[in-house]
Amino acid sequence: MASWSDLPKEIVEKISESLDSHIDITRFRAVCNSWRSAISPNFKISKSLFPIKLPLPKITMTEDFHKESEFYLIESTVYLLQLPHPPHTPWLVKVVKTVDGKLRILNLLTNTVFKGFPDKKLNSLDFRLSQVFKSYHVQWILKPYARECELQVLVSKILLIWNDQTNDFSLMAISIWDHLLCFKSGDEKWTALKDRSAKIVDIIVYKGDFYAVDTYGETIMYDPSSFNETNVSSNVKGLSSSIFNGWGSKKRLVESGGELFLVDMFLDTDVKAELHGSQPSWKSPKEIKIYQLDEEQHQWIAVHTLGDRIFFAGDDCCFSVSSSDFGDQCSGNCIYYVNGGIVVNILGNDLSEEVKLRYKGLHGQHTGIITLQDGKLGSLISFLEYADIFWPPSSWLYTGDRAALQTLFTNFTPQNLPFLSGI
């Protein structure tokens, strides 16, 4: 069998011309010595489209405040990291590049910056590195106060579709008030797509179009060039939203294997409070149902298994992966999700000091899991066997010196943000 190193130089150079990301360059140079020498480590790819400056959505603030603030679209990437030798323990990591060019490592679902990393670089050349998913965020810069706000402060989710032929882009976003907004390159302001009474709870890019779902399961497809709408599915009977006019429910759209799924969460709310008109207590989901879109019948069909797939249902990032990428770490047929009522409290539980130290970086993360085969449902702290893919294996970060390890974690500060070199 011919070796990759035997490829003619002109073919290798042709392949190198198609590289459009830093991770592609890293993986290209890792193939063999001849490929490594064919391209310089300082090879420059085309300048990134990001950050993109956008007008602020119309919100209640003074005109001067509006003019002095800046609103940017930035990009994040989910990577799968594995050691090239046994044990091939995997780790999923979300890396975002902010407006000022800093790289931050975030929780996949909550976007909180991971704390607990030692002051150490992880060189991507030391790992098998695969790009899993791209998502987008907005970063709001408050110039009068010379500081930046948290990601997604004015919109809860934002999506982008790029037209390679025209070099134009289209955006769809959900505002913090659950209003559906759109924007196209060249526009001067955002446009509302639905009546303000419509409660849009999630959006996704599926087969090149935007899809939006409301709290009752009604699903609409939007053409990215014209934003003309097509009804895909009407309301779904039995959804959590049928109780108390939509309160106490949460829905997420996930694409998997070329099919579109709806994850419907029944939140454990305070029913008495609901009857008196106040908001629910937003406790953890007490039940989760899954539906698959039947595009011919225009309806959501209940499903009870995901096979080997793993769903990640975040507030601004939903995707799926195959459990085969994780070896024995996860058997699939499960969903990781986020909810404000679920807090991973690693420090206050009856766990060994070794376990507490091992998973200290997950403390305070609002992350839960449901396994469809055996019905496990709750915080990651209750099912730590599913937590490893959210936190790097200990051998990646430190040696067996426990005292040194304790010092590394103790001295870590949020200002010393972790990052991966080589990305």
Side-chain angles (χ1 to χ4, degrees):
M1 181 180 294
S3 169
W4 287 107
S5 60
D6 296 331
L7 277 179
K9 182 179 179 179
E10 57 271 17
I11 295 181
V12 175
E13 292 177 349
K14 190 68 175 177
I15 295 174
S16 70
E17 294 174 0
S18 300
L19 304 178
D20 59 3
S21 71
H22 294 290
I23 183 62
D24 286 342
I25 295 172
T26 299
R27 298 179 70 184
F28 179 93
R29 299 185 71 246
V31 171
C32 59
N33 288 333
S34 61
W35 285 44
R36 180 182 294 267
S37 61
I39 184 171
S40 165
N42 298 319
F43 177 82
K44 300 295 184 182
I45 61 174
S46 300
K47 182 175 175 60
S48 174
L49 166 70
F50 301 95
I52 300 175
K53 189 174 182 179
L54 300 170
L56 270 71
K58 187 177 181 180
I59 56 177
T60 304
M61 58 173 59
T62 66
E63 188 66 23
D64 288 341
F65 193 90
H66 226 280
K67 290 179 180 179
E68 291 295 325
S69 301
E70 295 181 347
F71 196 60
Y72 292 93
L73 180 72
I74 59 176
E75 181 183 46
S76 69
T77 306
V78 175
Y79 295 100
L80 174 66
L81 283 78
Q82 290 177 296
L83 291 174
H85 52 74
H88 300 293
T89 308
W91 175 36
L92 278 172
V93 57
K94 188 177 187 179
V95 180
V96 63
K97 188 173 184 179
T98 58
V99 172
D100 58 6
K102 293 180 180 179
L103 295 177
R104 296 181 178 179
I105 294 183
L106 309 178
N107 179 292
L108 291 176
L109 303 180
T110 66
N111 287 333
T112 53
V113 177
F114 268 131
K115 302 175 183 179
F117 285 92
D119 183 12
K120 173 181 177 179
K121 292 182 180 180
L122 297 179
N123 193 327
S124 60
L125 291 174
D126 296 334
F127 304 94
R128 291 177 178 172
L129 195 58
S130 303
Q131 181 177 299
V132 176
F133 188 78
K134 281 188 177 293
S135 61
Y136 304 94
H137 312 267
V138 293
Q139 189 173 351
W140 185 20
I141 309 295
L142 296 177
K143 295 181 68 176
Y145 304 100
R147 68 180 180 88
E148 66 180 59
C149 285
E150 295 294 325
L151 302 179
Q152 313 298 113
V153 70
L154 293 179
V155 301
S156 58
K157 188 169 186 176
I158 190 166
L159 303 174
L160 175 144
I161 293 180
W162 179 263
N163 188 320
D164 292 324
Q165 297 180 340
T166 64
N167 285 332
D168 293 325
F169 65 85
S170 301
L171 298 174
M172 177 174 282
I174 303 176
S175 76
I176 55 175
W177 301 280
D178 298 327
H179 300 152
L180 189 62
L181 307 173
C182 72
F183 182 88
K184 293 192 295 184
S185 49
D187 288 352
E188 295 184 356
K189 62 180 181 179
W190 291 82
T191 301
L193 285 173
K194 295 286 288 184
D195 183 270
R196 290 185 177 272
S197 63
K199 184 177 173 63
I200 301 298
V201 292
D202 200 22
I203 52 179
I204 194 171
V205 174
Y206 177 62
K207 295 184 177 180
D209 294 306
F210 293 115
Y211 281 67
V213 63
D214 70 10
T215 190
Y216 298 104
E218 181 177 356
T219 309
I220 298 174
M221 178 182 71
Y222 290 89
D223 177 87
S225 58
S226 63
F227 284 102
N228 291 333
E229 62 180 65
T230 302
N231 190 280
V232 173
S233 174
S234 57
N235 296 354
V236 182
K237 293 182 179 180
L239 283 181
S240 54
S241 309
S242 61
I243 305 174
F244 303 114
N245 196 30
W247 285 112
S249 68
K250 195 173 188 179
K251 295 171 180 61
R252 293 294 175 259
L253 294 168
V254 183
E255 187 276 330
S256 180
E259 301 292 338
L260 189 59
F261 293 83
L262 176 66
V263 178
D264 184 36
M265 306 180 196
F266 292 68
L267 303 182
D268 189 9
T269 59
D270 185 346
V271 175
K272 291 183 179 180
E274 282 291 300
L275 292 174
H276 287 84
S278 60
Q279 293 185 3
S281 56
W282 302 116
K283 295 181 180 179
S284 60
K286 59 182 178 180
E287 184 180 1
I288 295 179
K289 292 184 177 181
I290 305 132
Y291 300 85
Q292 181 177 344
L293 180 64
D294 186 324
E295 297 183 68
E296 293 185 357
Q297 298 298 321
H298 299 285
Q299 59 182 328
W300 291 104
I301 307 298
V303 296
H304 305 286
T305 180
L306 300 177
D308 75 332
R309 305 299 295 180
I310 303 172
F311 282 13
F312 294 86
D315 286 341
D316 71 339
C317 177
C318 296
F319 63 96
S320 71
V321 297
S322 171
S323 61
S324 61
D325 295 329
F326 296 89
D328 297 330
Q329 295 298 117
C330 188
S331 58
N333 204 19
C334 62
I335 301 172
Y336 291 91
Y337 58 90
V338 58
N339 183 264
I342 299 177
V343 180
V344 179
N345 182 8
I346 196 72
L347 304 181
N349 283 268
D350 187 19
L351 300 169
S352 69
E353 290 302 314
E354 181 178 357
V355 170
K356 288 182 180 180
L357 193 58
R358 165 70 182 86
Y359 293 102
K360 185 178 179 181
L362 291 177
H363 177 65
Q365 303 293 327
H366 298 261
T367 309
I369 186 170
I370 180 174
T371 61
L372 301 184
Q373 184 171 349
D374 51 18
K376 294 176 180 176
L377 174 65
S379 168
L380 276 184
I381 191 62
S382 302
F383 310 107
L384 284 177
E385 65 271 26
Y386 293 92
D388 284 337
I389 64 175
F390 275 83
W391 187 244
S394 56
S395 60
W396 295 14
L397 299 179
Y398 49 81
T399 64
D401 187 336
R402 185 178 179 83
L405 166 64
Q406 186 74 51
T407 301
L408 285 171
F409 278 125
T410 302
N411 293 339
F412 177 81
T413 61
Q415 289 72 31
N416 186 16
L417 293 173
F419 67 93
L420 296 172
S421 62
I423 291 183

